[in-house]
Amino acid sequence: MDLAHLDYILRIAEERSITRAAERLFVTAPALNQQLQKLEGELGTPLFIRNRSDWQLTAAGEVYVQAAREILNIRKDACHRIGELASLAGRQYRVGLIPERGVNMFTAIYPEFHRRFPDVLLEPQECSVRTMQKLISRGELDLGLMTLTVSQKDDNVYHHMADEEIYLAVPAGHPLAGRGSREPEDAPDMGLESFREDPFIRIFQASTMHHLTEELFAQAGFVPRVLFSTSSNISKFRMVSAGVGCALLPAVFALPDRGIAYFRLPGHPRWEIHMCSRRGAWLGTALEGYLELCREYWLDGNKDGKFCIG
């Protein structure tokens, strides 16, 4: 089996277009199409349903793509092992970071990582959890920082870092704010149902936190009146501080603020913080070192991980 063919088919499957795949592979579309036809002739079955703008995998194509990813990942792991036997110099890894907090963690631990592994290059990439899961499964990311619930995990390997509580933040001018606390850790318990008439700032639907908050509102027995949705927890914090509405905030974004009163929800709901890697992947010395620094960062209570939100 020609390894180049594997890469060709994966690119066509990802782009759903032979033209776009050819551009990524730096070959001409006719040449790529010729290679595809040759492979399909050898296999005796088509791998794609050809539409003008959206190529879809056939059942045989699905099998081929899954096998191609596994083969290329085995090759990648073998190269990593052999390369590490020689030297770490010039090694490059790609690490995924969720927006906002991911950069915070990366900048906190990178200086020590660079001191330990001065010849290893880390390439950070910010993306959503679901995108990161797919990229890790494909072997296109080596590690990724994620926040999610148990039900949102896939077949990748999850290295537990910490559990993080979710707090209710309400404007200081709210009638019930006097019962709350400016310090999240000292906040009293209060059920969400007490705020059923209030507007909420929600996290956007693609976020893994959206599913968790949906469950919390369902348990409270109401659908919130959503003022607007945002992809940023920092924006949620600022809007609550400005008196616009209420919000559910992960602990790292729940900062003491004179414009906000905090409450803890009954049962103190939490989600999990993980580093994620592909199942079966060989991490090697450098990535194991990166994981160790991540564990230290979260084990230390993320003391330096709080955001400065002006």
Side-chain angles (χ1 to χ4, degrees), residues 104 164-165 167 184-185 250-256 262 297-298 301-309:
N104 241 37
E164 183 177 41
E165 188 169 350
Y167 291 91
E185 293 82 359
V252 74
F253 298 98
L255 305 177
Y262 289 103
Y297 175 85
W298 294 106
N302 194 17
K303 291 175 182 176
D304 298 321
K306 287 288 187 178
F307 283 79
C308 294
I309 304 176

Side-chain angles (χ1 to χ4, degrees), residues 175-247:
L176 296 177
R179 302 185 189 179
S181 170
R182 284 183 57 188
E183 299 287 341
E185 293 82 359
D186 299 330
D189 288 8
M190 177 80 75
L192 268 178
E193 61 275 6
S194 299
F195 302 87
R196 66 172 61 243
E197 302 301 325
D198 293 291
F200 275 81
I201 298 99
R202 297 290 304 279
I203 200 73
F204 72 139
Q205 194 166 358
S207 168
T208 49
M209 187 182 178
H210 185 272
H211 176 71
L212 173 59
T213 57
E214 286 284 288
E215 290 183 347
L216 294 175
F217 283 114
Q219 291 169 12
F222 73 100
V223 176
R225 179 161 60 92
V226 179
L227 194 62
F228 70 89
S229 296
T230 174
S231 62
S232 169
N233 280 294
I234 294 175
S235 295
K236 289 164 62 179
F237 172 91
R238 287 174 172 157
M239 295 306 286
V240 177
S241 181
V244 175
C246 305

Side-chain angles (χ1 to χ4, degrees), residues 109-162:
I109 69 175
Y110 183 76
E112 176 60 19
F113 178 87
H114 182 65
R115 188 190 68 79
R116 296 184 189 181
F117 306 97
D119 297 321
V120 175
L121 177 63
L122 289 185
E123 180 184 343
Q125 177 177 335
E126 276 194 300
C127 54
S128 69
V129 169
R130 291 185 177 90
T131 297
M132 207 182 305
Q133 287 174 320
K134 293 177 182 177
L135 293 176
I136 288 173
S137 295
R138 295 173 184 168
E140 296 177 29
L141 284 179
D142 297 293
L143 281 174
L145 174 68
M146 300 183 182
T147 47
L148 71 176
T149 61
V150 173
S151 64
Q152 293 166 331
K153 296 177 184 177
D154 58 11
D155 290 334
N156 289 312
V157 176
Y158 290 86
H159 311 267
H160 184 264
M161 298 288 120

